């Protein structure tokens, strides 16, 4: 190993400004909804008003007759695969003979004005025959059941607490609605500019549905206004491309706020039944749990969500006997899929509520019960997997507990439940303090071939060393562009780093999800930089790059960096993988399914008006093990953001 | 769509008479939402923002006359001392942007049972001044609303102003929302105690087809309050007042809350508001 340049400005561990920050604050950032092309048409989608119906006929005449309308397409115009999906291709590009959820796309329109397109969609006459929808997942068709069993299924305990919990649907509600621009290309393909989380998985599905080879569907990332899982599945990608190929004109589609709620998957509502048994001393003996997830009309990533709920469903605790089953069902509710936390949070609500109940039953403090049962490095998960990375569960809990308590609220209305709506001047208000800790897997699990690709080029520009980093990692607001540049600066000792727009001319980076992009694409950029550096050092017999100089093992300068590069740029492309994971046994749930884990502890201080049921969140203290903070400010931003997300989920 | 832009009040009244189906637009915070969502396509809009007198207020003895186009922000800043109940309600409306544009005239025009200006205007026994080319009439707020989003406003009429006695103290407004700000009322309650005239006024929002008064509760309180020595409100009186206010509501179950919660919350708000208003006078 060679040494890296710790002194370079804006490298790892610092918080350089993000390139989009000022633009976003000033309202000047170009989002995918701002895309424009000469001659472009506007697309609109007709969606089902019913959660379940048979389609007996579609009459396009009136829509096509509207002046300014260029195309009205249905499933009959889908030239390739008629269905798509992240894990199971079960979702029709456009409804075929039936609709399975309210908001399902039935037909698409291209017109010379967005208003005309919307009106034309309204002129499409669909003959629906309504059917009774399945809205209760326990009456729906099973999509996946994930059992995880370990130890004695009949274990008994001194103290037993049970509970049934229900959590509702949640929406990612990103600020920039689904939007993009499809431009027909001369080779019969399409150039697609979109806001997405994973360009290559879009490319694969779009190409299949268009009946084109992947290389004829070229995607570039456009300004993304938030994602949170809601851009993992396709929305307008195939539709805009179909319209563009059909009309031979660029086609832009932008969902409105209301349409956006129909345009993407949501967090699975869940019913969770738990039984916890513990010794009278407070040691967990067993957990039995049944989790029912409402998958909605199509599979999306439901199968993986269910696996997370099952494998992480007892929380970050050591429990010798576990009998867990998470099941996800099809219904006629809106499709559910990826959203921050991905199955782990639904379970967290239940197991942490159980830990509170257990503490009450034992007469112990809620933090103490948690700390007593906390997993550590070396603990065994109920899947049999040994926790190899750090697992500072007890210390995170101790840290939030040790924070000074927030001061009592003053009588300023803004500090009271109800706020300036003036519902209390202190009457009925009591303060509650609650603790919780959650566990989440990092990166993709269950044997998925999870990798990222980075291309790094070191060259002289105007006589100065400069680095170009090119990956397909989607910047969705999390700061992956900034982080890639920081890593390249530190690895190559070069301040001038440009990160190229993410597109499909470089290999896949995998998704901007599962807390994986800094780790995976960051890892790929680091590996590509190391390869570049190795080539460079070999050229001049150096051992490291420090302060713009190549030095030998003794620390003596052997060449100027610029000299060493000369007129021969060095470019390396690397695919980087985390250690492999494995599928779990379908009967017992045993297996090394996950790469590693992240933990988050919270202490919430909340004032509640117990007569009116109004609340004021006074403070949420958070402790997380973030490993090395590559960009401390961005890490804090992520923690702030997700804390608000959790806050809104009640 | 036609866009009519009168610059004087007479022109505005003439335009409304000539185009009774024109929709007046003041701050636009209700109208524009309906247009943007394509819920309404009126043949014409009648823009009132250039009609200066609508944005003025003045006194007439101990009465205030406030133009229909005075936005919430100015109600809070300029009239907070004279109309404390209405100012408290104005402070709960939407966000700063909405309070900059939204007007009490527009709130009355929409006549939503959840409009936040309505309960304090009811409690203060305000009058709405309606005008047309035919003349001017004054309608007590209580008889202004005829149903959900319906009022006595005739097709050729505009809302000119509201008139109300200045209060300075003895007024309260409280509103329940599904979160602590930027929220439509689940239910709301306004109270006005006038120690000089020894009257009690109430207004209930979002708990009946229209904003309503709790007349039995008012009468009860007039009789029970210790107007002479202004002694503390006995807890039993406050509780009974709350019960009577809840009984005056006719709430429904909807996405924002259940009828039972609304009744319960009104009784709590009424009880608390009474204590605060009375303490403010002692
Ligand atoms: C984000 C948001 C938050 C909101 N929050 C609240 C809230 O917390 N509480 C609340 O009560 N409301 C709320 N509203 C609704 C709205 O802001 C209020 O009803 C406001 O008072 C409307 O005033 P305006 O001047 O904007 O009315 P406009 O939208 O201009 O008009 C509203 C109606 O009144 C009519 N009208 C206006 N002026 C006159 C006139 N002089 N004569 C006759 N008719 C007239 C119009 O034709 C229309 O029917 C909110 C709205 C938004 C968009």
């Amino acid at each position: 190993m060679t040494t890296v340049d710790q002194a370079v400005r804006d490298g790892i561990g610092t918080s350089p400004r993000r390139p989009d920050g000022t633009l976003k604050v000033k309202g000047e950032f170009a989002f995918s909804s701002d895309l424009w092309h000469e001659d472009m048409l506007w697309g609109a989608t007709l969606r089902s008003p019913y959660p379940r119906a048979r389609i007996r006929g579609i009459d396009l005449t009136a829509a096509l007759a509207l002046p300014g309308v260029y195309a009205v397409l249905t499933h009959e115009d889908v030239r390739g695969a008629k269905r798509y999906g992240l894990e199971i291709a079960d979702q029709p590009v456009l409804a075929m003979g039936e609709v399975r959820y309210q908001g399902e796309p039935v037909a698409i329109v291209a017109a010379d004005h967005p208003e005309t397109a919307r009106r034309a969609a309204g002129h499409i006459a669909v003959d629906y025959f309504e059917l009774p929808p399945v809205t209760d997942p326990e009456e729906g068709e099973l999509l996946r059941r994930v059992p995880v069993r370990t130890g004695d299924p009949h274990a008994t305990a001194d103290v037993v607490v049970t509970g049934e919990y229900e959590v509702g649907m949640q929406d990612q509600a990103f600020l920039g609605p689904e939007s993009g621009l499809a431009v027909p290309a001369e080779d019969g393909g399409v150039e697609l500019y979109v806001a997405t989380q994973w360009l290559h998985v879009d490319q694969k599905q779009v190409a299949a549905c268009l009946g084109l080879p992947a290389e004829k569907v070229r995607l570039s990332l456009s300004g993304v206004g938030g994602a949170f899982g809601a851009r993992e599945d396709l929305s307008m990608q195939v539709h805009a491309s179909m319209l563009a190929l059909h009309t031979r004109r660029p086609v832009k589609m932008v969902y409105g706020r209301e349409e956006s709620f129909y345009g993407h998957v949501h967090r699975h509502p869940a019913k969770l039944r738990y039984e916890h048994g513990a010794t009278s001393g407070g040691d967990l003996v067993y957990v039995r749990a049944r989790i029912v997830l409402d998958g909605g009309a199509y599979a999306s990533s439901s199968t993986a969500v269910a696996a997370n709920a099952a494998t992480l469903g007892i929380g970050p605790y050591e429990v010798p006997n576990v009998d867990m089953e998470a099941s996800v069902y099809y219904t006629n509710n809106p499709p559910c899929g990826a959203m921050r936390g991905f199955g782990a949070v639904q379970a967290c609500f239940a197991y942490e509520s159980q830990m509170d109940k257990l503490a009450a039953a034992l007469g112990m403090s809620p933090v103490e019960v948690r700390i007593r049962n906390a997993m550590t490095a070396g603990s065994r998960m109920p899947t049999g997997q040994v926790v190899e990375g750090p697992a500072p569960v007890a210390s995170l809990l101790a840290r939030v507990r040790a924070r000074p308590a927030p001061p009592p609220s003053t009588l300023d209305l803004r500090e009271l439940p109800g706020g300036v709506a003036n519902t209390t001047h202190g009457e009925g208000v009591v303060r509650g303090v609650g603790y919780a800790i959650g566990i989440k897997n990092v990166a993709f699990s269950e044997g998925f071939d999870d990798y990222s690709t980075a291309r790094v080029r070191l060259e002289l520009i105007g006589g100065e060393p400069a680095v170009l980093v090119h990956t397909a990692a989607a910047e969705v607001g999390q700061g992956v562009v900034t982080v890639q540049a920081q890593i390249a600066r530190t690895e190559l000792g070069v301040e001038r780093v440009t990160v190229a727009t993410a597109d499909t001319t470089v290999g896949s980076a995998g998704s901007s999800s599962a807390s994986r992009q800094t780790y995976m694409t960051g890892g790929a950029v680091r590996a590509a930089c190391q390869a570049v550096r190795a080539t460079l050092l070999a050229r001049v017999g150096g051992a490291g790059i420090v302060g713009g100089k190549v030095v030998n093992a003794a620390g003596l300068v052997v060449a100027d960096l610029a000299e060493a590069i000369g007129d021969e740029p060095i470019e390396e492309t690397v695919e980087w993988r985390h250690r492999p994971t494995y599928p779990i046994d379908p009967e017992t749930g045993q297996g090394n399914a996950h790469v590693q884990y992240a933990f988050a502890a919270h202490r919430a201080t909340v004032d509640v008006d117990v007569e009116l049921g109004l609340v004021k969140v006074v403070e949420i203290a958070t402790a997380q093990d973030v490993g090395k903070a590559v960009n401390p400010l961005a890490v804090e931003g992520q923690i702030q953001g997700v804390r608000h997300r959790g806050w809104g989920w009640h | 769509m036609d866009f009519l832009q009168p610059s004087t009040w007479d022109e505005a009244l003439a335009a409304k008479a000539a185009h009774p189906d024109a929709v007046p637009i003041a701050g636009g915070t209700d109208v524009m939402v309906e247009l943007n969502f394509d819920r309404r396509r009126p043949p014409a809009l009648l823009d009132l923002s250039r009609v200066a007198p609508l944005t003025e207020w003045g006194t007439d003895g101990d009465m205030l006359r406030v133009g229909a186009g005075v936005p919430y922000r100015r109600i809070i800043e300029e009239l907070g001392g004279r109309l404390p109940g209405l100012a408290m309600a104005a402070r709960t409306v939407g966000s700063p942007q909405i309070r900059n544009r939204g007007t009490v005239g527009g709130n009355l025009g929409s006549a939503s049972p959840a409009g936040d200006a309505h309960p304090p205007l009811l409690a203060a026994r305000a009058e709405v001044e309606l005008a047309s080319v035919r003349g001017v009439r004054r309608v007590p707020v209580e008889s202004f609303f005829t149903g959900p989003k319906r009022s006595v406003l005739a097709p050729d009429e505009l809302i000119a102003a509201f008139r109300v006695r200045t209060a300075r103290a003895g007024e309260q407004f409280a509103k329940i929302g599904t979160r602590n700000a930027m929220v439509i009322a689940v239910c709301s309650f306004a109270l006005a105690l006038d120690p000089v005239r020894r009257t009690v006024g109430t207004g209930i929002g979002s708990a009946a087809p229209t904003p309503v008064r709790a007349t039995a509760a008012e009468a009860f309180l007039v009789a029970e309050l210790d107007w002479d020595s202004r002694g503390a409100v006995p807890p039993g009186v406050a509780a009974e007042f709350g019960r009577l206010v809840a009984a005056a509501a006719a709430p429904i179950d909807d996405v924002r809350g259940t009828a039972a919660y609304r009744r319960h919350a009104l009784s709590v708000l009424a009880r608390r508001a009474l204590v605060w208003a009375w303490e403010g006078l002692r």
Side-chain angles (χ1 to χ4, degrees):
Chain A
M1 251 324 275
T2 53
T3 54
V4 296
D5 189 351
Q6 299 295 356
V8 67
R9 214 167 57 106
D10 291 344
I12 284 175
T14 68
S15 299
R17 282 204 184 178
R18 43 187 308 152
D20 53 339
T22 306
L23 292 172
K24 279 179 177 164
V25 171
K26 289 169 111 180
E28 290 166 0
F29 182 80
F31 289 97
S32 53
S33 50
D34 298 317
L35 289 162
W36 187 85
H37 199 291
E38 214 168 317
D39 265 357
M40 75 183 184
L41 300 173
W42 295 78
T45 314
L46 176 71
R47 295 173 182 276
S48 165
Y50 305 113
R52 186 170 170 220
R54 252 201 331 271
I55 296 178
R56 292 186 289 207
I58 304 182
D59 184 356
L60 309 178
T61 328
L64 282 165
L66 214 65
V69 171
Y70 284 73
V72 183
L73 307 181
T74 67
H75 70 92
E76 289 178 11
D77 304 291
V78 179
R79 293 208 210 128
K82 304 261 186 193
R83 294 174 191 270
Y84 67 91
L86 285 173
E87 281 157 15
I88 300 168
D90 63 351
Q91 187 154 2
V93 173
L94 290 165
M96 293 183 288
E98 59 162 359
V99 285
R100 294 170 56 98
Y101 73 95
Q102 188 190 347
E104 178 156 1
V106 175
I108 46 177
V109 180
D112 55 12
H113 190 280
E115 187 60 32
T116 311
R118 275 194 290 273
R119 294 201 152 205
H123 280 63
I124 300 170
V126 185
D127 180 10
Y128 293 104
F129 179 74
E130 261 191 271
L131 295 166
V134 177
T135 55
D136 179 351
E138 285 173 286
E139 288 165 15
E141 184 197 333
L142 181 70
L143 171 52
R144 186 181 182 192
R145 170 168 293 140
V146 187
V148 175
R149 293 186 222 288
T150 188
D152 175 6
H154 306 295
T156 56
D158 306 337
V159 180
V160 174
V161 292
T162 60
E164 181 171 328
Y165 307 92
E166 212 174 321
V167 290
M169 186 176 278
Q170 190 184 19
D171 191 84
Q172 302 84 349
F174 45 51
L175 291 180
E178 293 83 348
S179 46
L181 176 72
V183 183
E186 294 201 340
D187 65 355
V190 64
E191 316 277 348
L192 191 53
Y193 302 86
V194 282
T196 181
Q197 289 180 239
W198 187 354
L199 289 163
H200 286 78
V201 87
D202 281 10
Q203 181 189 37
K204 193 171 126 196
Q205 297 176 88
V206 173
C209 295
L210 297 177
L212 291 172
E215 63 273 14
K216 286 205 173 173
V217 178
R218 295 168 287 265
L219 280 82
S220 300
L221 190 70
S222 184
V224 183
F228 317 110
R231 294 188 209 273
E232 293 233 298
D233 297 77
L234 295 180
S235 57
M236 46 57 67
Q237 286 90 329
V238 181
H239 299 161
S241 303
M242 280 172 65
L243 292 168
L245 291 174
H246 188 90
T247 59
R248 307 301 308 153
R249 297 266 293 265
V251 174
K252 173 169 169 172
M253 287 184 97
V254 182
Y255 292 177
R257 173 55 57 202
E258 212 168 332
E259 185 174 18
S260 177
F261 288 111
Y262 295 115
H264 60 252
V265 298
H266 313 278
R267 186 188 303 293
H268 292 71
K271 249 202 194 117
L272 312 102
R273 301 178 182 95
Y274 273 68
E275 181 177 318
H276 279 58
T279 65
S280 49
D283 293 325
L284 284 170
V285 177
Y286 70 85
V287 175
R288 290 184 198 122
R290 294 291 177 271
I291 299 175
V292 173
L293 299 157
D294 181 351
Y298 296 105
S300 179
S301 47
S302 277
T303 50
V305 169
N308 264 13
T311 57
L312 306 170
I314 64 158
Y317 301 112
E318 274 193 0
V319 186
N321 308 296
V322 174
D323 173 2
M324 153 72 75
E325 224 172 73
S327 309
V328 60
Y329 296 88
Y330 283 114
T331 64
N332 295 110
N333 290 325
C336 289
M339 181 171 169
R340 279 188 122 165
F342 204 82
V345 284
Q346 288 94 330
C348 182
F349 178 72
Y351 63 68
E352 286 301 84
S353 300
Q354 284 286 99
M355 292 306 276
D356 284 342
K357 268 195 185 177
L358 188 61
L362 289 162
M364 282 174 79
S365 106
V367 196
E368 216 36 65
V369 171
R370 287 174 171 86
I371 289 180
R372 193 180 178 92
N373 291 286
M375 66 159 56
T376 59
S379 293
R380 195 173 286 274
M381 298 286 287
T383 55
Q385 183 166 14
V386 173
V387 179
E388 286 171 6
V393 176
S395 101
L396 293 177
L397 285 162
R399 277 169 197 254
V400 290
R401 180 175 56 183
R403 296 280 310 157
S409 59
T410 68
L411 288 185
D412 184 331
L413 287 177
R414 288 168 299 183
E415 292 187 16
L416 289 165
V420 297
N422 191 39
T423 52
T424 179
H425 296 174
E427 299 91 338
V429 177
V430 295
R431 175 160 290 189
V433 179
Y435 290 86
I437 185 152
I439 176 171
K440 171 73 179 57
N441 54 331
V442 173
F444 291 153
S445 300
E446 290 192 88
F448 193 92
D449 180 23
D450 191 10
Y451 69 94
S452 178
T453 317
R455 184 182 298 154
V456 171
R457 184 181 168 88
L458 176 63
E459 63 193 325
L460 293 184
I461 295 181
E464 295 289 322
V467 177
L468 180 67
V469 177
H470 191 185
T471 71
E475 169 64 82
V476 298
Q478 84 279 41
V480 72
V481 164
T482 315
V483 155
Q484 290 177 72
Q486 288 178 257
I487 291 170
R489 285 191 198 104
T490 295
E491 289 298 328
L492 293 173
V494 174
E495 268 173 36
R496 194 164 150 192
V497 177
T498 306
V499 179
T501 299
D503 60 27
T504 50
T505 63
V506 62
S508 175
S511 181
S512 287
S513 63
S515 309
R516 64 181 284 291
Q517 217 48 298
T518 298
Y519 180 50
M520 296 300 296
T521 294
V525 169
R526 178 164 181 256
C529 287
Q530 285 170 347
V532 166
R533 193 175 51 189
T535 308
L536 179 90
L537 295 179
R539 247 185 218 176
V540 292
I545 307 169
V546 175
K549 313 271 183 216
V550 180
V551 296
N552 64 15
L556 300 172
V557 174
V558 296
D560 215 47
L561 182 56
E563 263 169 45
I565 300 166
D567 52 12
E568 276 182 84
I570 303 169
E571 184 176 295
E572 299 286 351
T573 304
V574 170
E575 263 182 20
W576 194 79
R577 286 176 166 72
H578 58 68
R579 64 180 179 148
T581 60
Y582 301 91
I584 51 173
D585 183 281
E587 299 301 324
T588 64
Q590 298 300 297
N592 292 344
H594 299 308
V595 186
Q596 58 179 16
Y597 308 98
F599 306 92
H602 292 271
R603 182 191 67 191
T605 305
V606 180
D607 283 345
V608 182
D609 183 332
V610 294
E611 273 189 294
L612 291 174
L614 303 180
V615 299
K616 170 73 187 174
V617 178
V618 178
E619 185 204 74
I620 295 182
T622 304
Q624 295 197 15
D625 171 22
V626 302
K628 167 81 182 169
V630 175
N631 184 320
L633 189 62
V635 175
E636 274 173 40
Q638 286 293 306
I639 294 173
Q640 293 271 7
V642 81
R643 188 198 58 174
H644 280 87
R645 175 76 64 191
W647 189 330
W649 191 41
H650 62 251
Chain B
M1 195 189 303
D2 287 333
F3 193 63
L4 310 171
Q5 272 199 308
S7 51
T8 67
W9 183 234
D10 285 345
E11 278 175 34
L13 294 178
K16 190 65 175 135
H19 306 273
D21 52 4
V23 170
I25 176 164
T29 58
D30 278 326
V31 171
M32 288 313 296
V33 174
E34 298 208 310
L35 294 189
N36 287 339
F37 282 95
D38 208 8
R39 285 187 200 130
R40 194 171 182 184
R41 264 172 201 261
L45 285 180
L46 178 62
D47 174 22
L48 298 175
S49 62
R50 301 192 173 186
V51 181
L54 281 178
T55 59
E56 289 163 5
W57 61 266
T59 48
D60 178 0
D62 63 351
M63 294 297 280
L64 266 177
R65 183 183 179 280
V66 183
V70 176
Y72 293 112
R73 184 179 55 78
R74 287 182 54 209
I75 302 263
I76 299 164
E77 288 173 5
E78 298 169 23
L79 295 169
R82 289 180 168 93
L83 301 174
L86 183 63
M88 285 180 189
R91 181 65 185 81
T92 75
V93 172
S95 57
Q97 294 91 326
I98 298 296
R99 295 195 287 275
N100 280 339
R101 289 207 63 87
T103 64
V104 174
N107 214 225
L108 289 165
S110 292
S112 157
D116 285 327
H118 309 150
L121 291 178
L122 273 174
R125 311 263 157 86
E127 286 181 337
V128 188
E129 191 182 303
L130 305 176
S132 69
V133 288
R134 295 177 285 122
V136 174
R137 58 176 178 142
R138 289 189 201 161
V139 179
V141 171
E142 201 186 346
S143 358
F144 178 76
F145 306 104
T146 54
K149 307 211 168 178
R150 286 202 317 266
S151 71
V152 298
L153 192 67
D156 66 340
E157 274 181 323
L158 291 174
I159 304 167
F162 63 90
R163 301 167 64 89
V164 65
R165 204 178 295 280
T166 57
R168 290 180 212 283
E171 292 194 346
Q172 285 290 333
F173 173 81
K175 156 177 160 185
I176 304 265
T178 50
R179 54 181 177 237
N180 290 343
M182 189 61 199
V183 78
I184 308 181
V186 173
C187 62
S188 62
F189 179 70
L191 179 64
L193 305 179
D194 184 336
V196 178
R197 283 172 195 74
R198 303 200 168 180
T199 58
V200 173
T202 57
I204 295 173
S206 213
T210 65
V212 289
R213 277 173 63 188
T215 42
E218 292 173 1
F220 166 78
L221 214 52
V222 168
E224 293 294 327
L225 283 176
D226 180 3
W227 297 102
D228 294 322
S229 53
R230 306 235 177 124
V233 182
V237 169
E240 177 61 10
F241 176 64
R243 201 188 62 73
L244 290 169
V245 167
I252 53 165
D253 292 342
D254 67 12
V255 287
R256 278 176 273 141
T258 61
Y261 176 78
R262 287 185 158 104
R263 274 223 173 77
H264 164 76
L266 281 170
S267 73
V268 175
L269 294 182
R271 179 158 41 82
R272 290 181 183 175
L274 169 57
V275 172
W276 305 332
W278 190 247
E279 290 301 316
L281 295 174
R282 289 176 77 194

